[in-house]
Amino acid sequence: MARPRKFDEERAVDAAMEAFWTAGYEATSTQDLCEATGLGRSSIYNTFHSKHELFRRALDRYMARRTDELSGLLEEDRPARARVEALLSRVVAEETTGYGDGRGCLYVNTAVELAARDAEVARELERDYARRLEALTAVFESGRRDGDVAADRDARALAHFVMATVSGIRVAARAGAGTAALRAIARTALDAI
């Protein structure tokens, strides 16, 4: 008879997410995961089957949280430009104060580290990108209807542009760009909308 689990699986996924976020997938060893979660190797493998599966669960958790936060921000009752400005301001703030620990964004880090050689992870990133793209496209469509965004602008293209800007801000921050530079990137993007 199998022994019942004596740990909180969701808390273990959260702890693993922090470990992967700090070091990346490749650099996070099974021992690192044991230390982060407080679990033994057998518990990790019996529950999650592999480091890769635990990583996928951690990445899914991260993306769900971040996408929910983005959706909440973009669904606020204010003009489209103000919602996009709030999004970009938040990203700059995260990179200069919130994520100022140098870890960046787990989504962007994973896209750079794994997407080109891990089709499964690439598909998960693509699904999350599509959800964010739809949310931003809806913002720009509402802005076109309300006159806050020029009617001749392509809402989907603007959404792609803002998503690329968000990723660019995150990468620039990792490369050492300071607060003033990140704010200038955000302002330039807003001017281009």
Side-chain angles (χ1 to χ4, degrees), residues 114-187:
L114 294 178
R117 62 189 194 320
D118 188 324
E120 201 172 357
V121 168
R123 280 190 300 275
E124 289 182 36
L125 293 171
E126 288 168 13
R127 279 192 293 272
D128 189 67
Y129 185 93
R131 285 190 296 266
R132 293 173 189 230
L133 181 66
E134 291 308 314
L136 273 164
T137 300
V139 168
F140 285 116
E141 286 172 347
S142 75
R144 287 175 53 200
R145 284 190 304 274
D146 298 342
D148 193 39
V149 175
D152 64 341
R153 303 301 304 269
D154 182 326
R156 195 166 195 81
L158 289 172
H160 280 295
F161 173 70
V162 169
M163 291 179 65
T165 301
V166 167
S167 295
I169 288 170
R170 294 195 188 286
V171 171
R174 293 284 305 266
T179 303
L182 299 179
R183 285 182 180 148
I185 294 167
R187 272 193 313 274

Side-chain angles (χ1 to χ4, degrees), residues 71-83 139 142 146:
S71 295
L73 189 64
L74 295 179
E75 291 171 0
E76 291 179 2
D77 187 23
R78 47 187 177 161
R81 281 181 179 278
R83 289 183 272 170
V139 168
S142 75
D146 298 342

Side-chain angles (χ1 to χ4, degrees), residues 78-96:
R78 47 187 177 161
R81 281 181 179 278
R83 289 183 272 170
V84 173
E85 183 175 12
L87 168 65
L88 294 175
S89 294
R90 180 179 189 148
V91 170
V92 169
E94 287 173 347
E95 292 303 329
T96 57

